[in-house]
Amino acid sequence: MEKSPTTHVEYDSSNAHSNGGDAITRVPTQGKDAVVGTVRLLLGNETVLLPTPSPDPKDPLNLPAWRKWSILILISVFGCSCVILASGLGPIFSVIRADYPGQELKANDLMVYPTLFMGIGNVLAMPITAVIGRRPIILLSMVTLVVSSIWCQHSGSLGSHIAGRNVMALAAGQSEALLPMMIQEIFFLHERGRKLAWFVFLENFLVGIFFFTSNYMVSAWGWRGWYAFFAAFNGLILLFSIFLLLETLFIRPDDASTGQVHLTLNDVGKVDEEGANELVFRVTTKDKDFLEPEKYGVRTWRTDLRLWRKIDNWAQVSYFYLDFLKGIVHPIFFWLLLLNGAYLGLYIYQASTFATILMSPPFSFKFNSLGYVQGAQILCCLVFLPLLGYAGDHLIRFLSKRNGGVYKPEYRLPSLALPAIAGVIGAFMYGQTAAHPEKYHWLGVALNYNIIFFAFLGANQVALTYAVDSFPLKAGPLLVVVCAGRGFISFGIGYAVLPSIQAIGYDGSMNVVGTICAVLAVAAIPMYYFGPTFRKLGQNYYGFGASKEHANGGSGH
């Protein structure tokens, strides 16, 4: 595009700035009838940057690659600690339960209640991040994990131990919605799938290592020493995060989510293809040097280390909860929370039972051998990253190119097929092996345990990317619908584990849960075709197509 002194880019509602010449590419507007979430991703061979980055060097989208990777790695390690502390008692639970003779049934609350409190933590903390930013909530959560780990280490009774773990789970809950939110705030749409896959890979790769080593840690130090280790581990994460974990919330105009920036032309006689006096432009991967530090200021360590951003209007909290309640009854998100809740419940179901099955005759595993079973999750991660991360992003680019360069969030759904099928088959096989161990090899438990874990990772990644891409301006409250909702569902499933086994056996229980997962997964087929209709419903009647005063309680995009 030729430079013109009469042309200015308006990135926000109050300021205009020079377009920097070739930094902006002209394309036709999408039209007034466009459905939210359906955006132009490709311009020829170039990829449109979604959301549109601002010319402010302090915009998280403009961070250098090493800063983005440092954030991703830090939150992955933090997420690993959250998963281990809140949900990782499986390999060592038999040792902990033995310390509470006569209270074995009550001790199950150490594993079951944290899933509930993780969901509550999401609901309580996420609205506040829309007001004061993501960074202070994450740092506070890290401090809470350190304190609650010390609490559990020195707990003098089962009740105190349960209470400490519930507080721990409130902080650990931020790993479910807030961390994926932060990833989507520093990476563009076309790279979210693989970057989220890297997050899941790093988090669960480390989880697999700790699952493998936890048995040896407990054998050497006892379960109280296990908590002491993670208190120190989280203290180290906190130290690095103070200096490297930057604020990712950045307020943007609504049209940045569609990749459009508006130009004001002094030559009012010029019109675009639709006959309007306003031209629409998009920034692509080939555009460089559109930053304006002389106008917006440079990024410094002082700006990076601010504990919180300027406090916004606390009314955003009420907007957040209103959108959260709307999301629960929206067809897309009601389905996503059921799907995620079912697959997470399936994983928790077998995580609560696999140790008992393998340590009992005829398998008679030794306690320390259980770590190998959960440590095999590392292999799941090695398969997950290329298969559902990079391949998923290549798939959406292929489907978008077939659609004239236009992307639809439903292009994420085909990636669900493989993990969904694998999870359902794994559930049936696990149930049969657990019910009739004399007829099957121990791999019927160990292998299917990890297959179901892979299925949950796949369902989780597809749900999060589909949710964010469908309504980017409401990503925060809608992610909480999925993450908190699945926590509540899995809590109910987890509480029903022992009663259902007693009533209908391992095979009957897993058949029921597996069938539920299968039905919900098959629902992805009509969702692929009718998803745009449901998104139009959310846009027209739920108010999901626009933010409130540029502060949507979500991504700020």
Side-chain angles (χ1 to χ4, degrees):
M1 185 182 73
E2 296 182 356
K3 293 184 179 181
S4 171
T6 64
T7 304
H8 301 278
V9 181
E10 290 185 1
Y11 190 83
D12 56 38
S13 58
S14 58
N15 295 308
H17 58 273
S18 172
N19 67 6
D22 293 335
I24 307 298
T25 302
R26 180 187 301 182
V27 296
T29 183
Q30 290 185 152
K32 297 180 180 179
D33 296 327
V35 180
V36 62
T38 299
V39 292
R40 178 167 293 279
L41 181 63
L42 301 175
L43 284 175
N45 293 324
E46 298 297 330
T47 303
V48 178
L49 297 182
L50 301 168
T52 306
S54 83
D56 188 345
K58 296 182 289 297
D59 183 345
L61 288 173
N62 296 328
L63 286 171
W66 76 269
R67 297 300 293 269
K68 292 186 177 185
W69 275 103
S70 66
I71 294 174
L72 190 151
I73 292 172
L74 270 175
I75 62 178
S76 298
V77 176
F78 171 65
C80 159
S81 181
C82 292
V83 171
I84 286 290
L85 286 172
S87 308
L89 285 189
I92 63 174
F93 183 60
S94 59
V95 174
I96 296 176
R97 184 169 52 189
D99 270 7
Y100 299 107
Q103 302 181 77
E104 288 83 2
L105 186 60
K106 181 68 174 175
N108 289 329
D109 291 348
L110 292 169
M111 293 186 64
V112 175
Y113 269 98
T115 60
L116 172 64
F117 279 86
M118 287 181 78
I120 294 174
N122 271 286
V123 175
L124 294 179
M126 278 294 288
I128 300 176
T129 68
V131 179
I132 65 174
R134 322 305 191 196
R135 176 175 158 86
I137 296 300
I138 286 293
L139 295 180
L140 178 60
S141 297
M142 292 176 180
V143 172
T144 304
L145 284 187
V146 173
V147 174
S148 57
S149 295
I150 297 173
W151 176 352
C152 291
Q153 176 193 359
H154 295 283
S155 59
S157 66
L158 178 57
S160 176
H161 192 175
I162 293 172
R165 286 188 57 76
N166 290 344
V167 172
M168 179 185 292
L170 287 174
Q174 309 321 311
S175 66
E176 297 197 304
L178 183 53
L179 300 190
M181 167 68 67
M182 295 174 70
I183 290 174
Q184 74 99 8
E185 287 176 332
I186 62 176
F187 293 107
F188 297 102
L189 183 149
H190 69 278
E191 56 186 358
R192 281 180 193 158
R194 59 183 179 272
K195 291 306 188 295
L196 187 61
W198 268 106
F199 164 70
V200 173
F201 168 78
L202 291 172
E203 177 184 87
N204 289 284
F205 187 89
L206 293 173
V207 166
I209 292 175
F210 282 123
F211 275 156
F212 175 74
T213 57
S214 286
N215 298 81
Y216 297 97
M217 293 162 63
V218 171
S219 296
W221 308 330
W223 62 265
R224 296 183 186 273
W226 183 81
Y227 279 120
F229 169 84
F230 280 102
F233 183 68
N234 281 292
L236 188 62
I237 298 173
L238 173 63
L239 181 63
F240 277 99
S241 297
I242 289 173
F243 296 100
L244 294 175
L245 189 60
L246 312 183
E247 179 58 63
T248 62
L249 177 63
F250 191 86
I251 305 303
R252 307 179 189 280
D254 288 357
D255 58 358
S257 66
T258 62
Q260 301 178 87
V261 289
H262 297 269
L263 305 187
T264 302
L265 300 180
N266 291 342
D267 298 326
V268 294
K270 292 183 178 181
V271 297
D272 65 1
E273 291 86 344
E274 295 188 354
N277 288 328
E278 186 180 66
L279 292 177
V280 179
F281 294 73
R282 289 186 173 86
V283 182
T284 71
T285 47
K286 73 177 179 61
D287 296 319
K288 307 291 183 183
D289 301 325
F290 55 84
L291 300 183
E292 294 188 349
E294 66 279 0
K295 179 172 184 176
Y296 293 94
V298 298
R299 175 180 292 278
T300 66
W301 281 103
R302 183 175 181 180
T303 58
D304 288 347
L305 295 179
R306 284 185 304 180
L307 185 57
W308 58 72
R309 50 161 286 189
K310 180 181 178 182
I311 295 179
D312 209 334
N313 184 357
W314 282 93
Q316 300 306 321
V317 174
S318 62
Y319 295 148
F320 187 103
Y321 282 122
L322 180 60
D323 290 330
F324 169 72
L325 294 175
K326 290 178 181 178
I328 294 175
V329 295
H330 187 277
I332 288 178
F333 297 95
F334 183 68
W335 169 65
L336 288 178
L337 78 88
L338 290 179
L339 178 74
N340 258 242
Y343 275 89
L344 177 58
L346 179 61
Y347 175 65
I348 289 177
Y349 202 110
Q350 43 138 40
S352 302
T353 58
F354 85 98
T356 301
I357 298 168
L358 290 178
M359 292 178 70
S360 302
F363 303 136
S364 302
F365 269 49
K366 294 181 180 179
F367 171 70
N368 285 344
S369 298
L370 296 177
Y372 290 96
V373 177
Q374 290 196 294
Q377 291 182 2
I378 295 173
L379 299 178
C380 295
C381 296
L382 293 174
V383 173
F384 170 84
L385 179 63
L387 199 59
L388 297 183
Y390 285 85
D393 278 348
H394 283 300
L395 177 62
I396 68 167
R397 183 179 177 86
F398 170 75
L399 293 175
S400 298
K401 193 170 185 178
R402 280 185 32 176
N403 194 33
V406 176
Y407 165 78
K408 297 179 181 180
E410 286 72 31
Y411 293 163
R412 300 283 185 186
L413 296 180
S415 299
L416 180 64
L418 179 60
I421 294 171
V424 172
I425 294 175
F428 293 147
M429 292 302 299
Y430 182 94
Q432 288 299 313
T433 305
H436 310 287
E438 70 282 353
K439 296 181 179 180
Y440 295 93
H441 194 273
W442 58 265
L443 282 175
V445 171
L447 180 61
N448 288 300
Y449 175 91
N450 286 282
I451 288 175
I452 291 171
F453 174 71
F454 170 78
F456 165 67
L457 292 184
N460 182 46
Q461 193 219 22
V462 170
L464 295 183
T465 51
Y466 183 42
V468 170
D469 293 353
S470 293
F471 300 105
L473 299 175
K474 301 295 183 181
L478 298 179
L479 280 178
V480 174
V481 170
V482 176
C483 296
R486 76 185 181 198
F488 299 144
I489 292 172
S490 63
F491 167 75
I493 293 177
Y495 227 85
V497 169
L498 293 179
S500 65
I501 291 174
Q502 293 172 354
I504 57 178
Y506 285 112
D507 50 352
S509 299
M510 293 301 279
N511 287 347
V512 170
V513 180
T515 300
I516 293 173
C517 289
V519 171
L520 291 171
V522 169
I525 297 175
M527 190 62 67
Y528 183 87
Y529 293 102
F530 296 106
T533 302
F534 291 137
R535 285 189 283 117
K536 190 73 171 179
L537 175 71
Q539 177 179 338
N540 293 342
Y541 297 100
Y542 288 70
F544 289 168
S547 64
K548 288 233 187 275
E549 302 175 352
H550 296 316
N552 54 65
S555 67
H557 297 166

